[in-house]
Structures are given as structure tokens and as C-alpha cells.
Coordinates of all heavy atoms in Angstrom, one line a residue:
M31 N 0.9 -1.2 0.0 CA 0.0 0.0 -0.1 C 0.9 1.3 0.0 O 1.8 1.4 0.7 CB -0.9 -0.1 1.2 CG -1.8 1.2 1.3 SD -2.7 1.2 2.9 CE -3.8 -0.2 2.7
D32 N 0.5 2.2 -0.8 CA 1.2 3.5 -0.9 C 0.7 4.4 0.2 O -0.4 4.9 0.2 CB 1.0 4.1 -2.2 CG 1.8 5.4 -2.3 OD1 2.5 5.8 -1.4 OD2 1.7 6.0 -3.4
K33 N 1.6 4.6 1.3 CA 1.0 5.4 2.4 C 0.8 6.9 2.1 O 0.4 7.5 2.8 CB 1.9 5.2 3.6 CG 3.3 5.7 3.6 CD 4.0 5.6 4.9 CE 5.3 6.3 5.0 NZ 6.4 5.8 4.0
N34 N 1.3 7.2 0.9 CA 1.2 8.6 0.5 C -0.3 8.8 -0.2 O -0.6 10.0 -0.5 CB 2.3 9.1 -0.4 CG 3.5 9.3 0.3 OD1 3.5 9.9 1.4 ND2 4.7 8.9 -0.2
C35 N -0.9 7.7 -0.5 CA -2.2 7.8 -1.1 C -3.0 6.6 -0.8 O -3.0 5.6 -1.6 CB -2.1 8.1 -2.7 SG -3.7 8.5 -3.5
I36 N -3.6 6.7 0.4 CA -4.4 5.5 0.8 C -5.9 5.8 0.5 O -6.4 6.7 0.9 CB -4.3 5.3 2.4 CG1 -2.7 5.2 2.7 CG2 -5.0 4.1 2.8 CD1 -2.4 5.3 4.2
P37 N -6.4 4.9 -0.3 CA -7.9 5.2 -0.8 C -8.9 5.3 0.3 O -8.7 4.6 1.4 CB -8.1 4.0 -1.7 CG -6.8 3.5 -2.1 CD -5.9 3.8 -0.9
Y38 N -9.9 6.0 0.1 CA -11.1 6.0 1.0 C -11.5 4.6 1.3 O -11.6 3.9 0.4 CB -12.3 6.8 0.5 CG -12.0 8.2 0.2 CD1 -13.1 9.0 -0.5 CD2 -11.0 9.0 0.7 CE1 -12.9 10.3 -0.8 CE2 -10.9 10.3 0.4 CZ -11.8 11.0 -0.2 OH -11.7 12.3 -0.5
G39 N -11.8 4.3 2.5 CA -12.4 3.0 2.9 C -11.3 2.0 3.2 O -11.7 0.9 3.6
S40 N -10.0 2.4 3.0 CA -9.0 1.3 3.4 C -9.0 1.2 5.0 O -9.1 2.2 5.7 CB -7.6 1.9 2.9 OG -7.6 1.9 1.4
D41 N -8.6 0.0 5.3 CA -8.5 -0.3 6.7 C -7.1 0.2 7.2 O -6.1 -0.2 6.6 CB -8.7 -1.8 6.9 CG -9.0 -2.1 8.3 OD1 -9.6 -1.3 9.0 OD2 -8.8 -3.2 8.7
V42 N -7.0 1.0 8.2 CA -5.8 1.6 8.6 C -5.7 1.6 10.2 O -6.7 1.5 10.9 CB -5.5 3.0 8.2 CG1 -5.4 3.1 6.7 CG2 -6.6 3.9 8.7
S43 N -4.5 1.6 10.6 CA -4.4 1.7 12.0 C -4.4 3.2 12.5 O -4.5 4.1 11.8 CB -3.0 1.1 12.6 OG -2.0 1.6 11.9
A44 N -4.5 3.4 13.9 CA -4.5 4.8 14.3 C -3.4 5.6 13.8 O -2.2 5.2 13.7 CB -4.5 4.7 15.9
G45 N -3.8 6.9 13.6 CA -2.8 7.8 13.1 C -3.4 9.1 12.5 O -4.7 9.3 12.7
T46 N -2.6 9.9 11.9 CA -3.0 11.2 11.4 C -2.9 11.1 9.9 O -2.0 10.6 9.3 CB -2.2 12.4 11.9 OG1 -2.2 12.3 13.3 CG2 -2.8 13.6 11.4
F47 N -4.0 11.6 9.2 CA -4.1 11.5 7.7 C -4.4 12.8 7.2 O -5.3 13.5 7.7 CB -5.1 10.4 7.3 CG -4.7 9.0 7.9 CD1 -5.1 8.7 9.2 CD2 -4.0 8.2 7.2 CE1 -4.8 7.4 9.6 CE2 -3.6 6.9 7.6 CZ -4.0 6.5 8.9
E48 N -3.8 13.1 6.0 CA -4.1 14.4 5.4 C -4.7 14.1 4.0 O -4.2 13.3 3.2 CB -2.8 15.1 5.1 CG -2.9 16.4 4.4 CD -1.7 17.2 4.2 OE1 -0.8 17.0 5.1 OE2 -1.5 17.6 3.0
C49 N -5.8 14.8 3.7 CA -6.4 14.7 2.5 C -5.5 15.0 1.3 O -5.0 16.1 1.4 CB -7.8 15.5 2.3 SG -8.6 15.4 0.8
Q50 N -5.4 14.2 0.3 CA -4.4 14.6 -0.8 C -5.1 15.5 -1.8 O -4.4 16.2 -2.6 CB -4.1 13.2 -1.6 CG -3.1 12.4 -0.9 CD -1.6 13.1 -1.0 OE1 -1.5 14.2 -0.8 NE2 -0.7 12.2 -1.3
D51 N -6.3 15.8 -1.6 CA -7.0 16.7 -2.6 C -7.2 18.1 -1.9 O -7.1 19.1 -2.7 CB -8.4 16.1 -3.0 CG -8.2 15.0 -3.9 OD1 -7.6 15.1 -4.9 OD2 -8.7 13.9 -3.5
C52 N -7.4 18.2 -0.7 CA -7.7 19.6 0.0 C -6.8 19.9 1.1 O -6.8 20.9 1.6 CB -9.1 19.7 0.3 SG -9.7 18.9 1.7
G53 N -6.1 18.9 1.6 CA -5.2 19.1 2.7 C -5.9 19.0 4.0 O -5.2 19.3 5.1
D54 N -7.1 18.6 4.2 CA -7.8 18.5 5.4 C -7.1 17.3 6.2 O -6.7 16.4 5.6 CB -9.3 18.2 5.2 CG -10.1 18.4 6.4 OD1 -9.7 19.3 7.2 OD2 -11.1 17.7 6.5
V55 N -7.0 17.5 7.5 CA -6.4 16.5 8.3 C -7.3 15.9 9.3 O -8.1 16.5 9.9 CB -5.1 17.1 9.1 CG1 -4.6 16.1 10.1 CG2 -4.1 17.7 8.1
I56 N -7.3 14.4 9.3 CA -8.1 13.8 10.3 C -7.1 12.9 11.2 O -6.1 12.5 10.7 CB -9.2 12.9 9.6 CG1 -8.5 11.9 8.7 CG2 -10.2 13.8 8.8 CD1 -9.4 10.8 8.3
T57 N -7.7 12.7 12.3 CA -7.0 11.7 13.2 C -7.9 10.5 13.4 O -9.1 10.6 13.8 CB -6.7 12.4 14.6 OG1 -5.8 13.5 14.3 CG2 -5.9 11.4 15.5
M58 N -7.3 9.3 13.2 CA -8.0 8.1 13.5 C -7.5 7.6 14.9 O -6.4 7.4 15.1 CB -7.6 7.1 12.5 CG -7.9 7.5 11.0 SD -9.6 7.6 10.6 CE -10.1 5.9 10.5
A59 N -8.5 7.5 15.8 CA -8.2 7.1 17.1 C -7.9 5.6 17.3 O -7.3 5.2 18.2 CB -9.3 7.5 18.0
S60 N -8.4 4.8 16.4 CA -8.3 3.3 16.5 C -8.3 2.8 15.0 O -8.7 3.4 14.1 CB -9.3 2.7 17.3 OG -10.6 3.0 16.8
R61 N -8.0 1.5 14.9 CA -8.0 0.8 13.7 C -9.4 0.8 13.1 O -10.4 0.4 13.7 CB -7.5 -0.6 13.8 CG -7.4 -1.3 12.5 CD -6.8 -2.7 12.8 NE -6.8 -3.5 11.5 CZ -5.8 -3.4 10.6 NH1 -4.7 -2.7 11.0 NH2 -5.8 -4.1 9.5
S62 N -9.5 1.4 11.9 CA -10.9 1.4 11.3 C -10.7 1.8 9.9 O -9.6 2.0 9.4 CB -11.8 2.3 12.0 OG -11.3 3.6 12.0
S63 N -11.7 1.9 9.1 CA -11.7 2.3 7.7 C -11.6 3.8 7.6 O -12.4 4.6 8.3 CB -12.9 1.8 7.0 OG -13.0 0.4 7.1
L64 N -10.8 4.2 6.6 CA -10.8 5.6 6.4 C -12.1 6.2 5.7 O -12.6 5.6 4.8 CB -9.6 6.0 5.4 CG -8.2 5.9 6.0 CD1 -7.2 5.9 4.8 CD2 -8.0 7.1 6.8
P65 N -12.6 7.3 6.3 CA -13.8 7.9 5.7 C -13.5 8.6 4.5 O -12.3 9.1 4.2 CB -14.3 8.7 6.9 CG -13.1 9.2 7.5 CD -12.2 8.0 7.4
P66 N -14.5 9.0 3.7 CA -14.2 10.1 2.7 C -14.0 11.4 3.4 O -14.4 11.6 4.5 CB -15.6 10.1 1.9 CG -16.4 8.9 2.3 CD -15.9 8.5 3.6
C67 N -13.3 12.3 2.7 CA -13.0 13.6 3.2 C -14.3 14.3 3.5 O -15.2 14.2 2.8 CB -12.2 14.3 2.3 SG -11.8 16.1 2.8
S68 N -14.3 15.1 4.7 CA -15.5 15.8 5.0 C -15.8 16.9 3.9 O -16.9 17.4 3.8 CB -15.3 16.4 6.4 OG -14.3 17.3 6.4
N69 N -14.8 17.3 3.2 CA -14.9 18.3 2.2 C -15.2 17.7 0.7 O -15.1 18.4 -0.2 CB -13.8 19.3 2.0 CG -13.5 20.0 3.4 OD1 -14.4 20.5 4.0 ND2 -12.3 20.0 3.8
Y70 N -15.4 16.4 0.8 CA -15.5 15.7 -0.5 C -16.5 16.2 -1.4 O -17.6 16.5 -1.2 CB -15.7 14.2 -0.3 CG -16.0 13.5 -1.5 CD1 -14.8 13.1 -2.3 CD2 -17.2 13.1 -2.1 CE1 -14.9 12.5 -3.6 CE2 -17.3 12.6 -3.3 CZ -16.2 12.2 -4.1 OH -16.3 11.6 -5.3
S71 N -16.0 16.4 -2.6 CA -16.8 16.8 -3.8 C -16.1 16.1 -5.1 O -14.9 16.1 -5.2 CB -16.8 18.3 -4.0 OG -17.2 18.7 -5.3
S72 N -17.0 15.6 -5.9 CA -16.5 15.0 -7.0 C -15.7 15.9 -8.0 O -14.8 15.5 -8.8 CB -17.5 14.3 -7.9 OG -18.5 15.2 -8.3
L73 N -15.9 17.2 -7.8 CA -15.3 18.3 -8.6 C -13.8 18.6 -8.1 O -12.9 18.7 -8.9 CB -16.1 19.5 -8.7 CG -17.4 19.5 -9.4 CD1 -18.2 20.8 -9.3 CD2 -17.1 19.1 -10.8
T74 N -13.7 18.6 -6.7 CA -12.4 19.0 -6.2 C -11.7 17.8 -5.8 O -10.5 17.9 -5.5 CB -12.7 19.9 -5.0 OG1 -13.4 19.3 -4.1 CG2 -13.3 21.2 -5.4
H75 N -12.2 16.7 -5.5 CA -11.5 15.5 -5.0 C -11.4 14.4 -6.1 O -12.3 13.7 -6.3 CB -12.2 15.0 -3.7 CG -11.9 15.9 -2.6 ND1 -12.4 17.1 -2.6 CD2 -11.3 15.6 -1.4 CE1 -11.9 17.7 -1.4 NE2 -11.4 16.8 -0.7
I76 N -10.2 14.4 -6.7 CA -10.0 13.4 -7.8 C -9.2 12.3 -7.4 O -9.2 11.2 -8.0 CB -9.5 14.1 -9.0 CG1 -8.2 14.9 -8.7 CG2 -10.5 15.1 -9.6 CD1 -7.5 15.5 -10.0
K77 N -8.3 12.5 -6.4 CA -7.5 11.4 -6.0 C -8.2 10.5 -5.0 O -8.0 9.2 -5.0 CB -6.2 12.0 -5.3 CG -5.3 12.8 -6.1 CD -4.1 13.3 -5.4 CE -3.2 14.2 -6.1 NZ -2.1 14.8 -5.4
K78 N -9.0 11.1 -4.2 CA -9.8 10.4 -3.3 C -9.0 9.4 -2.3 O -9.3 8.2 -2.3 CB -11.0 9.6 -4.0 CG -12.0 10.5 -4.6 CD -13.1 9.7 -5.2 CE -12.8 9.1 -6.5 NZ -13.9 8.6 -7.3
C79 N -8.0 10.0 -1.8 CA -7.2 9.3 -0.9 C -6.5 10.1 0.2 O -6.5 11.3 0.1 CB -6.1 8.5 -1.7 SG -4.9 9.6 -2.6
W80 N -5.9 9.5 1.1 CA -5.3 10.1 2.2 C -3.9 9.9 2.3 O -3.5 8.7 1.9 CB -6.0 9.7 3.6 CG -7.4 9.9 3.7 CD1 -8.4 9.1 3.4 CD2 -8.0 11.1 4.2 NE1 -9.6 9.7 3.7 CE2 -9.4 10.9 4.2 CE3 -7.5 12.3 4.7 CZ2 -10.3 11.8 4.7 CZ3 -8.4 13.3 5.2 CH2 -9.8 13.0 5.2
K81 N -3.1 10.9 2.8 CA -1.7 10.6 3.0 C -1.5 10.4 4.5 O -2.0 11.0 5.4 CB -0.9 11.9 2.7 CG 0.6 11.8 3.0 CD 1.3 13.0 2.5 CE 2.8 13.0 2.9 NZ 3.5 14.2 2.4
N82 N -0.7 9.3 4.9 CA -0.5 9.0 6.2 C 0.6 9.9 6.8 O 1.8 9.7 6.4 CB 0.0 7.5 6.3 CG 0.1 7.0 7.7 OD1 0.8 6.1 8.0 ND2 -0.6 7.6 8.7
L83 N 0.3 10.8 7.7 CA 1.3 11.7 8.3 C 2.0 11.0 9.4 O 3.1 11.2 9.7 CB 0.5 13.0 8.7 CG -0.1 13.8 7.7 CD1 -0.8 15.1 8.3 CD2 0.9 14.2 6.6
S84 N 1.2 10.3 10.3 CA 1.8 9.6 11.4 C 1.0 8.4 11.8 O -0.2 8.4 11.5 CB 1.9 10.6 12.6 OG 0.7 10.8 13.1
G85 N 1.7 7.5 12.3 CA 0.9 6.3 12.6 C 1.8 5.3 13.2 O 2.9 5.6 13.6
Q86 N 1.4 4.1 13.3 CA 2.1 3.1 14.0 C 2.6 2.0 13.0 O 2.0 1.8 12.0 CB 1.3 2.4 15.1 CG 0.8 3.3 16.1 CD -0.4 2.8 17.0 OE1 -0.9 1.8 16.6 NE2 -0.6 3.4 18.0
G87 N 3.8 1.6 13.3 CA 4.3 0.5 12.5 C 5.0 0.8 11.2 O 6.1 0.7 11.1
D88 N 4.3 1.1 10.1 CA 4.7 1.1 8.8 C 5.3 2.5 8.3 O 5.4 2.7 7.1 CB 3.8 0.6 7.8 CG 2.5 1.3 7.8 OD1 2.6 2.5 8.1 OD2 1.5 0.8 7.3
A89 N 5.5 3.4 9.2 CA 6.0 4.7 8.7 C 7.2 5.1 9.4 O 7.2 5.8 10.4 CB 4.9 5.8 9.0
P90 N 8.4 4.8 8.8 CA 9.7 5.0 9.5 C 10.1 6.5 9.2 O 11.1 6.8 8.7 CB 10.6 4.1 8.8 CG 10.0 3.9 7.4 CD 8.5 3.9 7.6
N91 N 9.3 7.5 9.6 CA 9.7 8.8 9.6 C 10.3 9.3 10.9 O 9.9 10.1 11.5 CB 8.4 9.7 9.3 CG 7.8 9.4 8.0 OD1 8.5 9.1 7.0 ND2 6.5 9.6 7.8
D92 N 11.5 8.7 11.0 CA 12.3 9.0 12.3 C 12.9 10.3 12.1 O 13.8 10.5 11.1 CB 13.3 7.9 12.5 CG 13.9 7.8 13.9 OD1 14.0 8.9 14.3 OD2 14.1 6.8 14.4
P93 N 12.7 11.2 13.0 CA 13.3 12.6 12.9 C 14.8 12.5 13.2 O 15.5 13.5 13.0 CB 12.5 13.4 13.8 CG 12.1 12.4 14.9 CD 11.8 11.2 14.1
Y94 N 15.3 11.5 13.8 CA 16.6 11.4 14.2 C 17.4 10.6 13.1 O 17.1 9.5 12.9 CB 16.8 10.8 15.5 CG 16.0 11.6 16.6 CD1 14.8 11.1 17.1 CD2 16.5 12.7 17.1 CE1 14.1 11.7 18.0 CE2 15.7 13.4 18.0 CZ 14.5 12.9 18.5 OH 13.8 13.7 19.5
P95 N 18.5 11.2 12.6 CA 19.3 10.4 11.8 C 19.9 9.2 12.6 O 20.4 9.4 13.6 CB 20.5 11.4 11.4 CG 20.0 12.7 11.7 CD 19.0 12.6 12.8
N96 N 19.9 8.1 11.9 CA 20.3 6.9 12.6 C 21.1 6.1 11.6 O 20.6 5.3 10.9 CB 19.0 6.2 13.2 CG 19.4 4.9 13.9 OD1 20.5 4.8 14.4 ND2 18.5 4.1 14.1
K97 N 22.5 6.1 11.8 CA 23.3 5.3 10.9 C 23.6 4.0 11.5 O 24.1 3.8 12.6 CB 24.7 6.1 10.8 CG 24.4 7.3 9.9 CD 25.7 7.9 9.4 CE 25.5 9.0 8.4 NZ 26.8 9.6 8.0
Ligands
ZN350 ZN1 -10.3 16.8 1.1

């Protein structure tokens, strides 16, 4: 799964997600399915996916350089 574009309805773990179409940010408190964006419109939302900003497990966005 591309964590930069996770389609609506995908099952994800808790974390923060940013709408790829409008930049709206949502927080998922627990594992569940991603909802459509609250600003969703077929005219403005063509990607219909979320970017995973933070979460558990599969996002090695470690702010510390680690050699
Ligand atoms: Zn949106």
C-alpha cells in the first residue's frame, strides 16, 4: 500500500491522515476504515485518498538520523 495515497475505505491503524485533494487533516483514534474527506466533492476531489502523516508500524519517519 502506498502510504502517500491511501484510498477512502482502506483499513488503517490509528494515526493522522491528510487529504491529498484539499489538505484536510483527520485523526484516526483506532484501527478502522478511512472515511471520505469531509470536504469531499467529485469536482475537487479526484485522488480520493489520504496521506499517512503519522501512525504506528509502517511509517519510518524517524526525525533522528540513525546510521
Ligand atoms: Zn479533502
Side-chain angles (χ1 to χ4, degrees):
M31 181 185 293
D32 181 358
K33 69 176 186 293
N34 287 316
C35 190
I36 305 171
Y38 295 171
S40 295
D41 200 25
V42 295
S43 55
T46 305
F47 299 84
E48 178 183 323
C49 177
Q50 282 286 44
D51 291 301
C52 75
D54 200 28
V55 174
I56 61 166
T57 299
M58 304 292 287
S60 62
R61 183 180 178 85
S62 59
S63 299
L64 283 168
C67 179
S68 59
N69 299 318
Y70 176 75
S71 156
S72 61
L73 293 177
T74 60
H75 285 60
I76 56 174
K77 293 178 183 175
K78 293 186 282 188
C79 61
W80 298 93
K81 177 181 180 179
N82 185 206
L83 297 181
S84 70
Q86 299 168 344
D88 60 18
N91 289 331
D92 196 322
Y94 303 102
N96 186 17
K97 288 193 175 180

